[in-house]
Amino acid sequence: MGILFLQRRVVVSNFWRKRNIYLDPNIQIRNAPVPVVKEIRFLGVIFKRKLTFLPHILHLRKKCERSLNILKVFSRTSWGADRTSLLRIYQAVILSRIDYGCMVYGSARPTVLRRLDTIHHSALRICSGAFRTSPVESLYVTCHQLPLHLRRQNISALYFFRAQSVPKHPINHLKLPVSLGRLYAARPSRILPFCERAEMLLHDSDLNNVSLQLSVFFTFLPWEIPQFSFLNPFSGFDKS
């Protein structure tokens, strides 16, 4: 169950995969009932009850389809931009949206994730000026771009390394219990959590024995310092 504060309001949502097992909770704050919703948008990612991430991917695809019109305008043969400029626009406007949160929605089914491949392929065809019948592999080579599933793996591995370098990162303490590990092993169709998927990816890439340098962001806590000493030569002058 998740309780979130969204736009100065509190909502509740249940997360489960099986049907008709958990009832909607009855939560009240100051005798006011908290509404129960089926979908929650948190930090730009849409979470549904069954965590299929299909609403998020459909919403993301719709936004990216609108942004493809920018590439179509700039790809004019008479006065349009060149391939390098079009690829930079695509990476800044469209691909950045697809990359955002891919560590979270990457647990969706492959059939759901493949809905974003059409956006990626259409954008590469526009940037390269290739025909519709051109093979997708040729587009990757010509535009120097990775397929989206490899790009998600790359971003997930980098995020996992970054989390491992922080000593008190929350995901460092998320370990799959032995009982759940046996359940996932008995049902290979079930998608593993992020940490388990990242460890399997690093093991397949022979990167599981890489030593990481721990990074400490704050050597001291700023709110524990009683006062700061600084030079202010303009303290004797008024605003005018």
Side-chain angles (χ1 to χ4, degrees), residues 143-175:
C143 299
H144 303 284
Q145 294 291 330
L146 290 174
L148 288 183
H149 69 279
L150 295 180
R151 190 175 181 88
R152 284 190 293 267
Q153 292 179 3
N154 185 19
I155 296 176
S156 300
L158 292 177
Y159 177 76
F160 186 76
F161 280 137
R162 193 182 305 113
Q164 292 292 325
S165 64
V166 180
K168 295 183 180 180
H169 200 279
I171 72 171
N172 293 336
H173 306 286
L174 297 178
K175 298 297 182 182

Side-chain angles (χ1 to χ4, degrees), residues 179-196:
S179 59
L180 290 180
R182 294 174 180 175
L183 179 62
Y184 279 108
R187 299 179 179 178
S189 60
R190 299 291 183 179
I191 298 178
L192 292 171
F194 170 75
C195 294
E196 304 298 327

Side-chain angles (χ1 to χ4, degrees), residues 35-107:
V36 180
V37 297
K38 296 182 179 180
E39 297 180 2
I40 290 181
R41 184 172 182 178
F42 182 67
L43 296 178
V45 181
I46 300 176
F47 295 86
K48 201 175 180 179
R49 284 187 170 183
K50 293 187 178 181
L51 296 178
T52 58
F53 294 102
L54 180 60
H56 174 74
I57 291 178
L58 293 179
H59 177 72
L60 179 61
R61 178 178 174 176
K62 187 176 181 180
K63 292 180 63 176
C64 294
E65 285 178 350
R66 295 176 181 176
S67 301
L68 281 178
N69 297 327
I70 300 176
L71 295 179
K72 294 179 182 178
V73 171
F74 285 114
S75 61
R76 296 288 183 177
T77 56
S78 58
W79 55 270
D82 56 352
R83 180 185 302 177
T84 304
S85 301
L86 290 175
L87 287 174
R88 289 177 180 176
I89 295 174
Y90 168 61
Q91 292 176 0
V93 178
I94 301 177
L95 196 57
S96 59
R97 292 179 178 177
I98 298 177
D99 292 342
Y100 177 77
C102 66
M103 299 82 64
V104 179
Y105 74 81
S107 61

